[in-house]
Amino acid sequence: MAATKIVVYGLSTEGYAIACQMAIKGADVFIVDESAHMAISLKAEIAKTYPNVTSLKEDEPLLGVEPIDVAISHAEYLFFAPRVRKTGQEAKMEIHSKFKDATSSIKKGGSVIYNLPTGIGGNNETISLLEHVSGLEMGKGISYFYYPLSKNSVPEIIGSFNAKDDEKLAKLLESDKKVKKFVSISSAEILHAIKVLTQFASLSSVLEVSKFAQDVQTRNDLVQTEYNDLFLDDMTNRLYDLRSLGTSVEGAGTMMYLVNGSIKGIEGYVKRLIDEIRSTLKKNELKASRTKVVLVWTQDSYEMRGDKVDMLNSLVTKLRDYIGDVEIHQGPELDIFHSDKTTIIVACSKFDYDKITKNGKDSDVIIIKTNPLCEILQ
């Protein structure tokens, strides 16, 4: 029996993870590297050797390649998992352009699995675009599924046009012996929206209430809780999904208040973090010209969503309004050169905070944790 032919469009962390999973199961998998404009053959032994895109890119093993349109024209299943680095309306245009590029060569009988999160009703537009680009009728000439991937979790359900099951697809995506259940696309959108809103409603509550921890005793008590290890990196997970929910809902109903309130909660936290950095300068009688801020935030550059890149750039811009010398540090080794300036290190994730504390602390370094308390270690 011939192996199932699969193309994953987008050399993203999430796309690569499912591509590897399917290659190990014996599928014939190609993954599209948009920057190289080629489809790369992903064999089971490569999938086992290279656990992530970074390791694959660093080693550059010899891999079979095919033109993108050729690979897609042979695909039974096309997964759409590109990296999106624009925001707002520009992101929509970028996704549309990539989706057209991905689906223009698909043949009759093929299936498209959409892996980016959409808001409520967001897949209707994508389905119309797919029918227009392919010239095929949905549910007859072509099939469509909604399966929004994120880095730390895999959906348990698959949204399917007309809620139709596809056993072959379910087998390919099955992990830990958990069989995927098919539901209608609108059900999948609603369930994803509930997951996202629940996450951010909980986060907003923590951030807002933590502002009231002013005295030393209360702050010390809160440091002992699990909220102490919630960093800016965690706060920006799925922010893209939250924003796409916001653009899909009209009017000023409760749902819009939930979305906007959550976005405001994160923006308010960032403002508070910058105020803490400024007040640290004041308390220590430091001049802005004699101070250097180092933002330590190790990010995955292959992640589908660009929220973290966006947040980091925004932080740099806002901080440079007060302090000229702002640096970004990423990567496993922390090598902050000694300078004649007082250094404020801002730890943006638990991983980075552990890396900083492992290094030992110099007396002229102040560490700020981007947790709900904006904890300062001097």
Side-chain angles (χ1 to χ4, degrees):
M1 205 171 94
T4 309
K5 291 190 178 298
I6 288 160
V7 172
V8 176
Y9 184 94
L11 192 59
S12 59
T13 295
E14 297 88 338
Y16 184 76
I18 55 164
C20 287
Q21 181 188 324
M22 294 184 289
I24 290 165
K25 286 182 178 180
D28 180 1
V29 181
F30 275 85
I31 188 161
V32 172
D33 182 351
E34 303 145 85
S35 55
H37 300 291
M38 288 304 269
I40 303 159
S41 173
L42 191 68
K43 301 281 183 231
E45 59 271 21
I46 291 290
K48 287 172 185 166
T49 310
Y50 301 101
N52 52 47
V53 186
T54 310
S55 57
L56 180 81
K57 281 287 207 183
E58 279 172 358
D59 216 25
E60 291 188 336
L62 279 172
L63 302 165
V65 292
E66 249 183 30
I68 296 173
D69 54 347
V70 173
I72 290 171
S73 69
H74 294 144
E76 290 171 63
Y77 294 100
L78 170 65
F79 288 80
F80 184 66
R83 285 188 294 161
V84 180
R85 288 297 172 266
K86 297 206 164 55
T87 53
Q89 204 51 41
E90 284 185 344
K92 204 173 180 183
M93 284 158 68
E94 181 187 14
I95 293 162
H96 270 199
S97 159
K98 287 183 177 186
F99 191 68
K100 280 181 184 169
D101 182 43
T103 55
S104 56
S105 306
I106 199 156
K107 292 283 187 282
K108 189 174 181 178
S111 294
V112 173
I113 299 95
Y114 195 82
N115 302 122
L116 280 167
T118 72
I120 290 171
N123 283 287
N124 294 337
E125 200 178 332
T126 311
I127 288 168
S128 301
L129 182 63
L130 176 58
E131 287 185 322
H132 175 72
V133 172
S134 67
L136 299 163
E137 193 186 336
M138 188 53 58
K140 291 184 180 168
I142 196 161
S143 299
Y144 180 89
F145 300 92
Y146 177 52
Y147 190 66
L149 294 172
S150 62
K151 207 175 152 186
N152 307 318
S153 67
V154 176
E156 287 162 20
I157 55 160
I158 303 169
S160 165
F161 186 80
N162 289 342
K164 272 171 75 174
D165 288 14
D166 183 325
E167 277 183 31
K168 198 192 266 189
L169 180 61
K171 272 266 180 290
L172 286 165
L173 294 175
E174 184 183 298
S175 55
D176 305 328
K177 297 276 186 289
K178 281 184 186 161
V179 181
K180 304 282 178 193
K181 188 177 166 224
F182 288 87
V183 298
S184 70
I185 283 170
S186 61
S187 303
E189 287 175 348
I190 285 169
L191 290 166
H192 186 68
I194 290 170
K195 196 185 278 184
V196 172
L197 279 177
T198 306
Q199 174 193 325
F200 281 99
S202 166
L203 171 67
S204 304
S205 310
V206 175
L207 296 181
E208 289 306 307
V209 180
S210 295
K211 288 179 189 171
F212 294 96
Q214 297 291 338
D215 63 276
V216 176
Q217 183 59 57
T218 309
R219 288 177 72 86
N220 286 344
D221 290 341
L222 282 180
V223 165
Q224 310 303 318
T225 68
E226 74 267 25
Y227 306 123
N228 189 43
D229 283 339
L230 181 72
F231 283 80
L232 188 58
D233 184 74
D234 310 297
M235 298 174 200
T236 40
N237 279 334
R238 289 214 186 111
L239 194 51
Y240 176 97
D241 308 44
L242 182 70
R243 289 200 173 110
S244 64
L245 256 183
T247 55
S248 73
V249 181
E250 286 177 9
T254 308
M255 176 128 155
M256 206 62 204
Y257 287 129
L258 283 169
V259 172
N260 289 340
S262 298
I263 291 169
K264 277 204 174 78
I266 291 167
E267 287 170 353
Y269 174 77
V270 170
K271 185 183 178 301
R272 190 153 62 94
L273 176 66
I274 289 163
D275 288 346
E276 283 295 340
I277 293 168
R278 290 179 72 194
S279 73
T280 301
L281 263 71
K282 224 178 210 163
K283 278 179 205 158
N284 292 276
E285 295 177 357
L286 300 169
K287 285 184 177 165
S289 59
R290 309 286 306 144
T291 308
K292 173 172 147 179
V293 174
V294 182
L295 294 165
V296 187
W297 195 347
T298 304
Q299 296 186 358
D300 174 3
S301 57
Y302 293 101
E303 207 171 332
M304 278 163 61
R305 297 154 176 81
D307 307 306
K308 294 181 183 185
V309 182
D310 203 42
M311 178 65 82
L312 183 56
N313 293 338
S314 161
L315 255 181
V316 170
T317 308
K318 286 172 179 164
L319 280 168
R320 282 197 178 134
D321 288 345
Y322 310 113
I323 299 159
D325 195 350
V326 180
E327 264 181 36
I328 294 171
H329 183 93
Q330 297 187 325
E333 295 303 316
L334 186 68
D335 189 12
I336 293 165
F337 295 106
H338 286 283
S339 70
D340 51 357
K341 293 181 175 182
T342 302
T343 305
I344 295 175
I345 299 177
V346 183
C348 297
S349 77
K350 175 82 168 76
F351 170 81
D352 291 306
Y353 176 69
D354 291 345
K355 184 174 68 182
I356 293 160
T357 48
K358 228 178 251 166
N359 252 29
K361 194 167 101 55
D362 291 338
S363 55
D364 57 345
V365 168
I366 297 165
I367 298 169
I368 297 184
K369 288 169 82 171
T370 59
N371 60 5
L373 290 174
C374 295
E375 218 180 320
I376 298 164
L377 311 172
Q378 287 179 279

